[in-house]
């Protein structure tokens, strides 16, 4: 009898990696469309640019490694990595930012470790952290939702902003809201306001928030939640990691909010702001860098959710998913070693 040995990702369903990646990308489309609706053309431009750079980078590396180019590039893994990078960075970030991040993800994080199935870190999140640490100003220059912008940016203005045809002074005018507020994510705004001595209710009265949630960000998270549930239904991912991430954030933030509602973000705002649903379903569930057993996946997801809450509440970064995922990636082999499934035929008490 012959046994086939292959590296992760492994899927029980008889689906090729190419098919799995295609379906994951399709499930992400509702979230991407919602981001485009609220934050403009920059979302689609960054995604398209990242995909082109990812395919080119992968082809060059495969050529240098004397590996088959067409078969590997067509597995769509590079496209999915580029997609995650493109939707994770600010929509009007300069073009070179997404180029640097995508090249780093494909060449360094993925192929330096041997290619798909060999990398120990999530490529998209490793690239995000590298960019955030190296270029903090560009990586925190988020655009306001179009409904709050003083002058919404159309396609031509967005292209000018991304490719450097607009002066910094002109660009700053498009980053101001109707009430003069500057660009910021809801979590970043709350963090800044709390450091200035404002209470949570006072901060939530700002125009950036609507019905207690960030304008646009709530619906973006809802869209990624729908896409994530579709992936579970299609058996592209298992529910354990996503459930553990969401449950741990909800539990931790509920305790914090009960103790001090004036200084802690409530659980629903934690879940429907920033990259929560995107990361819980599309990033943390990466089969290459996550734990493998059922109990291991639950522990892996709970670790990510707890780290997210701790960093968001006490750390220096308002949205902490990239750091939490990378730290959990480091712990995945340790979790797999000590949290093993029982052997077939095992009897308790022996």
């Amino acid at each position: 009898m012959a046994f086939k040995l292959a590296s992760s990702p492994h899927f029980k369903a008889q689906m090729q990696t190419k098919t799995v990646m295609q379906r994951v990308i399709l499930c992400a489309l509702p979230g991407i469309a919602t981001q485009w609706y609220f934050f403009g053309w920059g979302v689609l431009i960054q995604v398209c640019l990242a995909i082109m750079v990812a395919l080119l980078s992968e082809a060059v590396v495969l050529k240098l490694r004397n590996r088959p180019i067409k078969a590997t590039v067509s597995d769509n893994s590079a496209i999915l990595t580029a997609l995650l990078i493109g939707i994770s960075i600010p929509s009007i970030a300069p073009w070179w930012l997404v180029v640097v991040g995508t090249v780093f993800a494909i060449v360094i994080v993925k192929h330096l470790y041997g290619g798909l199935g060999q990398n120990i870190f999530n490529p998209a999140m490793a690239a995000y952290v590298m960019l955030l640490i190296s270029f903090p100003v560009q990586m925190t220059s988020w655009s306001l939702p179009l409904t709050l912008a003083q002058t919404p940016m159309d396609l031509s203005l967005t292209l000018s902003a991304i490719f450097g045809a607009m002066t910094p002074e002109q660009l700053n005018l498009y980053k101001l809201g109707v009430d003069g507020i500057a660009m910021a994510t809801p979590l970043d705004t709350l963090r800044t306001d709390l450091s200035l001595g404002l209470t949570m209710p006072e901060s939530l009265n700002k125009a950036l928030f609507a019905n207690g949630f960030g304008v646009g960000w709530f619906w973006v998270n809802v869209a990624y939640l729908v896409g994530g549930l579709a992936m579970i239904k299609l058996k592209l991912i298992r529910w354990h990691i996503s459930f553990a991430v969401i449950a741990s954030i909800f539990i931790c933030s509920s305790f914090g909010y009960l103790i001090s509602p004036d200084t802690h973000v409530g659980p629903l705002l934690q879940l429907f702001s920033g990259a929560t649903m995107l990361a819980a379903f599309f990033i943390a569930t990466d089969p290459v860098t996550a734990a493998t057993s059922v109990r291991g996946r639950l522990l892996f997801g709970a670790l990510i959710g707890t780290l997210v809450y701790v960093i968001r509440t006490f750390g220096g970064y308002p949205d902490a998913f990239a750091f939490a995922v990378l730290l959990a990636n480091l712990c995945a082999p340790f979790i797999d070693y000590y949290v093993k499934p029982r052997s077939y035929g095992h009897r308790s008490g022996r």
Side-chain angles (χ1 to χ4, degrees), residues 35-36 38-47 49 90-95 143-144 146 149 151-166 170-171 174-175:
Q35 278 189 253
W36 165 75
F38 283 103
F39 298 100
W41 289 100
V43 176
L44 301 183
I45 295 171
Q46 300 288 6
V47 168
L49 183 59
S91 60
I92 55 174
W95 65 270
S143 59
L144 286 168
L146 297 180
T151 307
M153 299 180 69
D154 57 18
L155 178 58
S156 61
L157 288 173
T158 304
L159 289 170
S160 299
I162 293 175
F163 291 99
M166 190 179 293
Q170 291 174 322
L171 187 58
Y174 293 100
K175 293 179 179 179

Side-chain angles (χ1 to χ4, degrees), residues 215-281:
V215 174
W217 293 94
F218 171 79
W219 293 111
V220 168
N221 276 275
V222 169
Y224 282 119
L225 172 61
V226 171
L229 294 176
M231 287 200 297
I232 295 175
K233 177 68 175 179
L234 294 171
K235 297 183 179 180
L236 300 174
I237 61 173
R238 296 185 178 182
W239 60 269
H240 310 90
I241 293 177
S242 302
F243 171 80
V245 170
I246 294 172
S248 57
I249 292 177
F250 182 84
I251 292 171
C252 291
S253 57
S254 295
F255 275 115
Y257 189 73
L258 288 174
I259 294 172
S260 180
D262 287 339
T263 58
H264 285 74
V265 180
L268 292 181
L269 185 56
Q270 288 273 13
L271 292 178
F272 291 96
S273 289
T276 303
M277 295 302 170
L278 169 65
F281 289 97

Side-chain angles (χ1 to χ4, degrees), residues 4-13 15 17 236 238 287-288 292:
K4 182 180 178 181
L5 300 178
S7 59
S8 58
H10 306 293
F11 300 96
K12 287 186 176 181
M15 287 189 291
T17 300
L236 300 174
R238 296 185 178 182
V288 176
T292 55

Side-chain angles (χ1 to χ4, degrees), residues 35 57 61 71 74 80 87 118 121 136 142 147 190 197 202-203 215 231-232 258 280 282 312-313:
Q35 278 189 253
S57 300
V61 173
S74 62
L80 181 57
I87 59 181
Q118 307 298 324
F121 295 109
W142 291 91
T147 55
L190 289 173
E202 290 172 337
S203 183
V215 174
M231 287 200 297
I232 295 175
L258 288 174
F282 292 89
R312 280 181 175 180
T313 306

Side-chain angles (χ1 to χ4, degrees), residues 270-328:
Q270 288 273 13
L271 292 178
F272 291 96
S273 289
T276 303
M277 295 302 170
L278 169 65
F281 289 97
F282 292 89
I283 296 174
T285 55
D286 175 21
V288 176
T289 56
T292 55
S293 66
V294 172
R295 288 185 297 165
R297 288 193 294 269
L298 289 171
L299 182 58
F300 180 83
L303 176 62
I304 291 176
T306 303
L307 286 172
V308 166
Y309 174 75
V310 170
I311 298 173
R312 280 181 175 180
T313 306
F314 306 105
Y317 295 95
D319 199 343
F321 261 103
F323 293 96
V325 168
L326 293 183
L327 290 172

Side-chain angles (χ1 to χ4, degrees), residues 165-185:
M166 190 179 293
T167 65
E169 292 76 16
Q170 291 174 322
L171 187 58
N172 286 333
L173 292 177
Y174 293 100
K175 293 179 179 179
L176 292 176
V178 292
D179 58 355
I181 59 174
M183 73 288 181
T185 64

Side-chain angles (χ1 to χ4, degrees), residues 46-98:
Q46 300 288 6
V47 168
C48 292
L49 183 59
I51 290 174
M52 289 189 293
V53 173
L55 294 176
L56 179 61
S57 300
E58 182 135 292
V60 170
V61 173
L62 291 170
K63 179 68 174 178
L64 294 174
R65 297 178 61 196
N66 294 319
R67 298 292 181 88
I69 297 177
K70 184 178 180 180
T72 304
V73 170
S74 62
D75 67 7
N76 295 322
S77 61
I79 295 179
L80 181 57
T81 296
L83 189 78
L84 295 175
I85 294 173
I87 59 181
S88 296
I89 68 173
S91 60
I92 55 174
W95 65 270
W96 53 263
L97 196 71
V98 72

